[in-house]
């Protein structure tokens, strides 16, 4: 008997099968409609963020500017002053949420995120060391001024992730072990951050504290470039790895049976998550809980088994920009850093996850 010439299209009751060359799937309207709704919420957040401020501009005029119209005054306020801030928030939120989705899938644990595994703290140590010991962002100007902090943040994040990997892999790279080692590394790096702040003079310490709270103040077209290039390169890489990433939800033997090379895939995904986190942290400082909460929110909206990568990125972008809108406009003359708002929203969610995890272990 000869083998069939074509692979049969999958048949799932109640679902429409799809085939494009060697790729087959089933049609799930939710996987298309939910990301489109999140994208609409993100666009609305950008319109509101660009319209609110000392010079109020209605959202229809902001939309006109974004589509190439508007008068000269509106174009200057929107494109030169406010749009860079909104775009920086969207890029940073997308990068952090995408990194969180990858780490949660790798660790098979909803508590895994760059915040908890020490990657964010590692980036913070690198960037704050430049502020404290270099002064004025390393005492350099021009291109080096915009490269020094991002490079230090990326180096700190990569070193922290390498330390977690080397310590966790000794007795098997299990999700629970990675989480425990990451919490320990994060505690050590947090202590190092405190030491750096004690060593700094009052001006550098104030600048470092503002950065550590995750702020979009001072965002410009120049400062968003590291995050833009990082996301432009690593988002396609993450999407290309989405099939082996989905297979990692199964046990190792099943994933190998599906043709996944375990160690190279895990290293590639881990490196992608670390660089995404470091790039976002270098631009805005640590924006807490976006990487933890947004992948789980996207997972529940799409009702998938693992955090969906693209929907997580869109959710992180929308949540971060809306948090910036609230931080800038909801408290009168007081303007709160975006990281304070995301921490206030994310901390109850972390408690919910911890309580739910404890109940699952005792049941």
């Amino acid at each position: 008997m000869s083998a069939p010439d074509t692979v049969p299209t999958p048949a799932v009751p109640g679902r429409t099968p799809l085939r494009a060359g060697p790729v087959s799937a089933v049609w799930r309207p939710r996987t298309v409609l939910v990301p489109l709704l999140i994208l609409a919420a993100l666009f609305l957040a950008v319109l509101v963020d660009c319209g609110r401020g000392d010079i109020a501009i209605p959202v229809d005029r902001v939309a006109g500017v974004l589509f190439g119209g508007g008068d000269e005054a509106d174009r200057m306020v929107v494109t030169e002053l406010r749009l860079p801030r909104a775009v920086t928030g969207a890029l940073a939120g997308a990068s952090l949420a995408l990194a969180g989705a990858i780490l949660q899938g790798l660790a098979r644990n909803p508590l895994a995120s760059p915040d908890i595994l020490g990657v964010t703290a590692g980036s913070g140590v690198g960037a704050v060391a430049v502020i404290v010991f270099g002064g004025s962002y390393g005492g350099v100007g021009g291109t080096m001024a915009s490269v020094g902090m991002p490079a230090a943040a990326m180096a700190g994040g990569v070193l922290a992730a390498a330390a977690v990997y080397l310590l966790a892999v000794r007795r098997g790279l299990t999700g629970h072990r990675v989480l425990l080692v990451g919490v320990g590394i994060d505690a050590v790096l947090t202590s190092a951050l405190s030491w750096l702040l004690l060593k700094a003079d009052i001006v550098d310490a104030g600048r470092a504290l503002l950065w550590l709270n995750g702020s979009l103040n001072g965002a410009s077209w120049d400062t968003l470039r590291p995050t833009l290039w990082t996301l432009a390169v690593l988002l396609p890489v993450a999407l290309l790895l989405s099939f082996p990433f989905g297979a990692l939800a199964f046990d190792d033997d099943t994933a190998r049976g599906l043709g996944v090379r375990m160690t190279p895939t895990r290293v590639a995904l881990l490196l992608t998550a670390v660089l995404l986190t470091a790039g976002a942290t270098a631009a805005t400082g640590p924006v807490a809980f976006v990487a933890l909460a947004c992948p789980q929110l996207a997972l529940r909206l799409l009702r998938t088994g693992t955090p969906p990568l693209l929907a997580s990125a869109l959710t992180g972008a929308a949540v971060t920009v809306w948090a910036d809108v609230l931080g800038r406009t909801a408290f009168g003359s007081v303007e709160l850093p975006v990281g304070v708002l995301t921490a206030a929203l994310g901390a109850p969610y972390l408690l919910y996850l911890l309580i739910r995890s404890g109940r699952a272990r005792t049941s």
Side-chain angles (χ1 to χ4, degrees), residues 12-300:
V12 178
R15 301 292 185 190
T16 302
L18 301 173
R19 172 171 289 282
V23 179
S24 59
V26 294
W27 167 245
R28 297 180 69 239
R30 183 178 287 270
T31 60
V32 176
L33 295 178
V34 170
L36 288 177
L37 290 175
I38 299 173
L39 190 61
L42 171 61
F43 184 65
L44 180 60
V46 172
L47 292 180
V48 174
D49 205 18
C50 291
R52 301 295 296 271
D54 294 336
I55 302 175
I57 302 176
V59 293
D60 58 331
R61 284 166 49 188
V62 175
V65 171
L66 296 183
F67 286 106
D71 58 38
E72 185 175 353
D74 286 350
R75 286 199 298 272
M76 187 193 72
V77 172
V78 172
T79 61
E80 298 299 327
L81 301 179
R82 297 176 183 169
L83 188 58
R85 180 183 183 122
V87 173
T88 300
L91 293 175
S95 297
L96 291 172
L98 181 57
I102 292 173
L103 290 177
Q104 289 174 9
L106 282 176
R108 299 168 186 166
N109 193 317
L111 290 173
S113 80
D115 304 333
I116 296 177
L117 296 181
V119 179
T120 304
S123 297
V125 169
V128 171
V130 172
I131 295 175
V132 172
F133 294 119
S136 302
Y137 295 161
V140 294
T143 304
M144 286 301 295
S146 60
V147 171
M149 276 191 63
M154 286 197 175
V158 170
L159 290 175
V164 172
Y165 180 83
L166 292 175
L167 292 173
V169 79
R170 293 176 60 187
R171 296 182 181 177
L173 195 63
T174 64
H176 199 64
R177 183 173 176 79
V178 169
L179 191 61
L180 290 176
V181 173
V183 170
I185 293 293
D186 184 70
V188 172
L189 293 172
T190 302
S191 299
L193 273 175
S194 300
W195 179 78
L196 287 172
L197 292 176
L198 290 174
K199 292 285 291 183
D201 63 42
I202 188 67
V203 176
D204 289 340
R207 194 167 60 224
L209 282 173
L210 178 63
W211 184 85
L212 287 171
N213 279 320
S215 175
L216 294 175
N217 288 340
S220 67
W221 293 117
D222 290 331
T223 59
L224 67 81
R225 284 176 184 167
T227 311
L228 174 63
W229 286 114
T230 302
L231 188 61
V233 172
L234 295 179
L235 178 60
V237 172
L239 295 180
L240 287 174
L241 292 170
S242 58
F243 171 72
F245 173 75
L248 293 178
F250 302 101
D251 59 76
D252 288 2
D253 291 337
T254 303
R256 288 191 189 94
L258 292 172
V260 176
R261 300 175 61 191
M262 301 300 289
T263 300
T265 300
R266 280 174 170 155
V267 171
L269 286 168
L270 183 61
L271 187 60
T272 300
V274 170
L275 293 178
L276 284 168
T277 304
T281 306
T284 64
V287 181
F289 290 108
V290 172
L292 175 70
C294 291
Q296 291 299 309
L297 180 60
L299 182 148
R300 282 160 175 75

Side-chain angles (χ1 to χ4, degrees), residues 1-6:
M1 179 182 292
S2 59
D5 295 333
T6 59

